[in-house]
Amino acid sequence: MATPSATLGAAVPRSARVVPHTVSPGLWTLAWRRLKSDKVGMVSLVIVVLYLVMVILSALGLIANDWQKEVGVNYAPPSFLGAEKVVAAPDETPSVPAVPGGLTVPIGGGTTAGAAGGTSPATSSGAPAAPAYQSTIVDPIGDVIARLRAGKLPAGALPPETAEEKSVDPLAQVMSEIRADQKVAKAEKHETRLATLPFGGDKWGRDVLKKTVKGSETSIFVGIAAATVATLIGTLLGAIAGYYGRWVDDFLNWFYSVFSSMPGLLLIFAVAAVLQHKGVFTIVLILGLTGWTGVFRLIRAEYLKHKAREYVQAADAIGASNARRMFIHIFPNVSHVALVQLSILVVAFIKAEVILSFLGFGVPVDVVSWGSMLNEAQNELILGKWWQLVAAGTAMAILVTAFSIFTDSLRDALDPRLKGRAGA
Amino acid sequence: MGGYIVRRLWQMIPTMLGVVLLVFVLFNWVGGDPAYVLAGKISSHEQIENIRRQLGIDQPYYVQLGIFLKQIVTANFGSSWSTNEKVSHILLTRLGPSLTVLVPLLILGTLISIGLALAVAYVRGSLTDRMVMIVCTVGLSISILVYIIVFQYVFAYKLGWFPVQGWGDSFWQNLVVYASLPILIALAVSIAPDLRLYRTFVLDEINQDYVRTARAKGVSENRVIWVHVLRNASIPIITYLMSGLPGLLLGSFLIERFFSIPGIGREVILAVERSDFPVIKAITVYVAFATIFTNLLADLTYKAVDPRVQLK
C-alpha cells in the first residue's frame, strides 16, 4: 500500500523542485494508530500479552514446572486466610495454632490439617508409624473418614484397617497393597508440608497458583491452536469457493451447509465420542475441524466481492496465476476479516475447551486445564474449599474479558465502519 | 410463495443427505470398528463376529449406509448399547423435561432481553448504557460452569431455597420446584449476550429517519419506542431466535447435567460418556434436520414480519 505513493514521490526529478516526501500510511499502520488511541483496547492488549508471556514461560518450563509437587497440606488454605482452624476433638486440645504463612506441619501419614493437628505430637517422629489415610490416595471422602477416626479413636493408635472393613469392602485387599506401597515410598523421604500456600492448595496439597498457571497454558494453547486451525481451513475453503465460483462454490457451499446445520457443541460431542484417544492435540483437532464455518462464510463473501475488482483484473492482465491472485493479491485485502475472526474464535474455543475438559471429554487426566480445575473445584466447594474455583474462574474471566475487549478494538481499528457495533 | 417453499424443500435434500453422510463417515469409518466398543475389552473372536453380524458392519459400506438411511426414515435406531432402551423411546421421554426448562426460559429470556435492550438503547451513550455494557462483557467472560457451581451451592445447598437437584413425575411440581433454579441460572447466563446483540439491533433502528418523522408529527415517546422501533427491530431478533431454537435444546446440557434433569442434553453427555453410538447418531441427525427446517421457518417468518423482504 505504501509503495505506490513512495515511488510516485521518487519519480519526480529531484532537481526540479523539492516535493514533500510523504508516504501515505497503509491499512495496518492506520489500524495500529487507531488501536493505540483506544485506551481500553490497549490496556486489554497488555493483559493479553502478559498472559501470553506467562504461557510461553510455562511452556518452556521456566515457571510452574513443579506444579505436580505436593508442597502443602491437603486443602491448604490461602495464606491471607491463615492456617485452617484445627477441628478439636472432644478430648483433645488443638496442638497446631492458627499461624498464617510459613508454618510447617509434619506429616503423619498425610491426613488433613485437622486430623494432623490431633495426631502430630504422637506421630511426628516417624512418618509411616500410623498412616491413617495417605493423602495421595485418590479417595474423595478419605479425609472425612480420617477426621472421623481422629475424633473417635485415641491419637496415634489408628489401625491401618479394621477387620470389619476387610470383610465388607471388596477392595480391602487392594487397598492394603496400596497402603504398603505408600509406606515404603513415604519412609524414604521425610517431608514437611506448608500449612498455607499463597493461593491455597488442592486435595493433594498442590499449589493452586502453579496449577492455575499450568492450566492457563493448556487452555490458552488449545484456544489459540484450534482457532488457528479453524481460521486456516475456513480461509482456504472460503477463498477457493469465492474465487472459483460455479460448481466449486456449489460444492463447498453444500459442505458448509452440512457442517453449519449441526449445532456446534453437538458436532464436537459426536467427534469426541468417536475419537477415543484423548489428548491436547485431539481436542485442538476437534475444535478446529468443527469451528471453521463462520470464517468460511465471511471470507467467501469477501472473495466474491474482490475478484471482480480492477486490481485483480490488472493482475490477470500481467499474467498472475490463480493461486497468486488469490493469495498474493486478494488475501492481503481481506486478511483483516480473517484476523478478527481468529480473535473471536480464540475466546469461543477457550470457553469450549473449559466445558469439554470439565465434562471429561477434553484434555487427559494428567494434564491440568481450567476445565479440569473447575471439575475438581465443584466437589471441593461443598467442603468449603473455594480457592481453586476462584483461582481458575478468575484467571479465565480476566483473560476472556481482556480478549473480548481487544477483539472489539481490533475490529473497530481495522474496519472503522463497524465502530460501536457490539456483538453480532 | 408456494413455489418458493417447494424449491427450498427440494434444496434441503442434498444438505440432509450430507448430514447423514457426515454422521455415517464419523461413526462407521473414523470411529473404527463399533463391535470392539460394544463388546468391551474382554471378548472372544466369535463374540466380535456375532456383534458385527448383528450391527450389519460385516457388510460393504454402501449396504451399511442403506441400513442407516432406513433407520433414519423409520425412526428405528434399535436399542441403546448401554441400557437396551429403545432409542426412539429415549428421545420421546427426554423431550418433555427439556421443554419444561426451555419454554419458560425462552419466553422470560426474550421478554427481559428485549425490554432491557430498548431501555439501554434509549439512553445510548449515557453512563447507564456503558455500565450495563461493561457488566454484560464481564458477565460473559465468567465461565457458565462457575455460575452453575456457585448458584447451586449458594441457593440450593447453603440457603436451601431450592432442591439441590432432582426431578419428579408431576409437571407442575417439576416446573415450580425443580426447574425454577435451573431456569434462573440459565436466564442469568443468557441475558448478557442477548442483550448486547438486541441492543445493536435496536440502535440500528433508533437513528432511522422514520423515527425522527414519527417524533416530528407528535407521536408519543412510548409509541415511538414500543411500536415504531420495536416492530422494526423485531425482524432481526425473530430471525436470530428462530435460528437458535434447535441449539437451545442442547444448549442447556450443562444445566440438565448439574441438576439431574432427564432431558435431551443430559442424554447426549451420558451417551458420549458411555460410547452409546445409536443414541448420539439419532440425536445428531434429528437435531441437524430440525435446524435445517427451522432455517426455512426463520426465512418464512422473516417474510411475514417484514413485507419488504423478497424471497428468491
Side-chain angles (χ1 to χ4, degrees):
Chain A
M1 285 262 169
T3 34
S5 55
T7 41
L8 266 183
V12 179
R14 205 169 280 181
S15 53
R17 55 192 162 103
V18 180
V19 175
H21 186 90
T22 48
V23 178
S24 66
L27 170 77
W28 299 104
T29 321
L30 280 175
W32 175 240
R33 263 187 221 164
R34 277 194 288 263
L35 191 63
K36 266 200 294 193
S37 66
D38 184 350
K39 284 210 183 63
V40 184
M42 282 312 278
V43 170
S44 43
L45 176 62
V46 169
I47 296 175
V48 171
V49 168
L50 285 179
Y51 264 92
L52 290 182
V53 169
M54 180 177 85
V55 167
I56 291 168
L57 287 181
S58 157
L60 291 174
L62 294 175
I63 51 170
N65 203 21
D66 54 347
W67 65 276
Q68 271 177 314
K69 210 172 154 211
E70 290 152 18
V71 288
V73 295
N74 307 16
Y75 295 126
S79 299
F80 53 85
L81 281 187
E84 197 172 61
K85 288 253 168 42
V86 172
V87 184
D91 56 343
E92 285 172 341
T93 47
S95 54
V96 177
V99 179
L103 179 88
T104 57
V105 177
I107 290 301
T111 49
T112 61
T119 54
S120 56
T123 57
S124 56
S125 50
Y133 267 84
Q134 297 293 347
S135 64
T136 41
I137 294 172
V138 185
D139 182 356
I141 55 165
D143 56 336
V144 179
I145 294 177
R147 254 183 227 202
L148 284 175
R149 288 189 174 190
K152 277 184 192 151
L153 302 164
L158 300 176
E161 57 201 282
T162 59
E164 188 192 4
E165 185 184 323
K166 226 170 193 166
S167 62
V168 176
D169 186 358
L171 290 175
Q173 181 61 35
V174 184
M175 197 66 186
S176 61
E177 278 168 22
I178 295 174
R179 279 191 183 117
D181 284 350
Q182 295 275 333
K183 255 184 220 173
V184 176
K186 284 277 162 182
E188 283 166 3
K189 44 173 183 180
H190 271 281
E191 53 174 327
T192 49
R193 293 186 172 205
L194 298 165
T196 64
L197 290 167
F199 275 62
D202 69 355
K203 191 165 76 184
W204 295 281
R206 298 187 298 204
D207 190 344
V208 164
L209 181 61
K210 285 181 180 160
K211 241 180 126 176
T212 312
V213 171
K214 210 65 191 169
S216 310
E217 183 201 322
T218 313
S219 296
I220 296 174
F221 171 76
V222 168
I224 292 178
T228 312
V229 172
T231 311
L232 283 179
I233 298 177
T235 307
L236 192 65
L237 295 183
I240 293 173
Y243 183 79
Y244 285 106
R246 302 196 304 169
W247 65 268
V248 182
D249 188 28
D250 288 342
F251 174 75
L252 288 173
N253 246 336
W254 168 77
F255 204 58
Y256 159 80
S257 61
V258 167
F259 266 85
S260 62
S261 64
M262 294 192 205
L265 271 169
L266 182 60
L267 190 56
I268 292 173
F269 282 155
V271 181
V274 167
L275 295 178
Q276 298 290 326
H277 176 259
K278 267 187 199 168
V280 174
F281 285 97
T282 314
I283 177 146
V284 168
L285 210 63
I286 294 178
L287 292 173
L289 288 179
T290 54
W292 53 270
T293 48
V295 187
F296 171 84
R297 201 191 54 204
L298 290 172
I299 294 288
R300 175 180 166 272
E302 287 294 320
Y303 268 80
L304 276 178
K305 206 166 68 190
H306 276 269
K307 74 171 175 187
R309 296 246 168 112
E310 285 86 352
Y311 72 91
V312 183
Q313 286 172 6
D316 187 22
I318 59 171
S321 68
N322 279 329
R324 198 176 164 80
R325 267 177 275 163
M326 270 161 76
F327 295 110
I328 308 285
H329 293 270
I330 304 182
F331 184 71
N333 291 307
V334 302
S335 54
H336 63 280
V337 178
L339 190 68
V340 171
Q341 285 302 307
L342 177 76
S343 189
I344 290 173
L345 281 178
V346 170
V347 172
F349 285 162
I350 286 177
K351 285 180 176 173
E353 186 276 334
V354 167
I355 288 175
L356 279 179
S357 295
F358 175 85
L359 292 172
F361 307 148
V363 295
V365 221
D366 56 334
V367 176
V368 62
S369 94
W370 287 335
S372 59
M373 285 178 76
L374 287 177
N375 191 357
E376 286 173 26
Q378 187 198 356
N379 297 323
E380 291 173 5
L381 191 63
I382 311 285
L383 303 171
K385 324 287 181 197
W386 46 267
W387 32 94
Q388 185 155 219
L389 177 79
V390 171
T394 316
M396 181 181 166
I398 292 175
L399 175 78
V400 172
T401 309
F403 219 117
S404 321
I405 295 175
F406 169 67
T407 306
D408 282 353
S409 306
L410 186 69
R411 194 193 39 204
D412 288 348
L414 285 170
D415 202 346
R417 282 169 302 169
L418 292 174
K419 201 167 170 67
R421 288 182 58 110
Chain B
M1 191 71 173
Y4 172 78
I5 294 176
V6 170
R7 201 164 56 249
R8 280 291 300 265
L9 286 173
W10 175 247
Q11 285 167 351
M12 272 180 199
I13 294 174
T15 312
M16 287 163 79
L17 284 178
V19 168
V20 173
L21 203 63
L22 178 65
V23 173
F24 178 78
V25 167
L26 211 55
F27 283 90
N28 288 42
W29 190 63
V30 179
D33 196 336
Y36 288 97
V37 182
L38 187 51
K41 289 202 172 68
I42 310 151
S43 50
S44 66
H45 189 67
E46 291 89 70
Q47 274 177 313
I48 299 266
E49 282 307 309
N50 262 333
I51 293 167
R52 288 174 65 99
R53 209 167 307 127
Q54 269 179 19
L55 296 176
I57 48 177
D58 52 343
Q59 313 267 355
Y61 276 122
Y62 62 89
V63 180
Q64 293 182 41
L65 186 59
I67 297 174
F68 186 40
L69 276 173
K70 196 179 153 201
Q71 284 179 334
I72 294 167
V73 175
T74 57
N76 178 11
F77 279 81
S79 308
S80 151
W81 284 358
S82 48
T83 58
N84 218 22
E85 199 178 345
K86 279 261 177 242
V87 173
S88 49
H89 183 252
I90 292 184
L91 294 189
L92 287 178
T93 49
R94 305 304 190 269
L95 203 56
S98 279
L99 292 179
T100 312
V101 178
L102 283 178
V103 174
L105 170 66
L106 196 63
I107 296 172
L108 286 175
T110 311
L111 290 181
I112 296 175
S113 319
I114 292 180
L116 282 177
L118 282 172
V120 171
Y122 189 70
V123 293
R124 63 194 171 280
S126 71
L127 190 65
T128 324
D129 176 31
R130 267 182 275 162
M131 285 308 291
V132 171
M133 282 305 110
I134 289 173
V135 169
C136 277
T137 310
V138 176
L140 261 176
S141 317
I142 300 171
S143 176
I144 176 172
L145 294 164
V146 175
Y147 284 107
I148 303 179
I149 294 173
V150 171
F151 277 41
Q152 193 179 30
Y153 175 73
V154 172
F155 293 115
Y157 184 79
K158 275 277 169 197
L159 298 175
W161 292 354
F162 303 94
V164 175
Q165 50 177 224
W167 201 250
D169 287 326
S170 94
F171 170 73
W172 290 109
Q173 185 200 17
N174 284 338
L175 184 65
V176 176
V177 180
Y178 293 116
S180 40
L181 182 59
I183 290 174
L184 278 181
I185 295 178
L187 271 182
V189 176
S190 66
I191 282 182
D194 287 357
L195 174 57
R196 265 167 63 111
L197 191 62
Y198 295 171
R199 175 177 167 274
T200 63
F201 291 157
V202 176
L203 278 185
D204 280 345
E205 297 300 329
I206 215 161
N207 291 321
Q208 298 277 344
D209 286 343
Y210 70 84
V211 177
R212 198 176 308 134
T213 313
R215 288 209 175 108
K217 70 178 184 182
V219 175
S220 75
E221 215 39 24
N222 269 331
R223 209 178 141 75
V224 167
I225 295 296
W226 292 101
V227 178
H228 295 240
V229 173
L230 179 60
R231 203 160 156 206
N232 283 288
S234 67
I235 297 166
I237 293 179
I238 288 174
T239 326
Y240 167 78
L241 272 178
M242 293 286 296
S243 60
L245 274 184
L248 265 181
L249 205 58
L250 298 149
S252 57
F253 66 96
L254 282 174
I255 300 259
E256 288 181 1
R257 183 180 182 272
F258 272 94
F259 290 95
S260 292
I261 298 170
I264 298 271
R266 180 164 158 270
E267 202 56 42
V268 172
I269 296 180
L270 282 177
V272 175
E273 278 171 356
R274 298 163 171 165
S275 294
D276 198 346
F277 286 3
V279 177
I280 313 174
K281 266 157 89 172
I283 294 180
T284 314
V285 169
Y286 287 133
V287 172
F289 285 3
T291 314
I292 298 172
F293 274 104
T294 40
N295 281 346
L296 171 62
L297 277 183
D299 286 351
L300 294 179
T301 349
Y302 200 57
K303 168 80 182 159
V305 286
D306 188 357
R308 290 168 303 180
V309 171
Q310 292 290 317
L311 296 177
K312 283 181 288 193

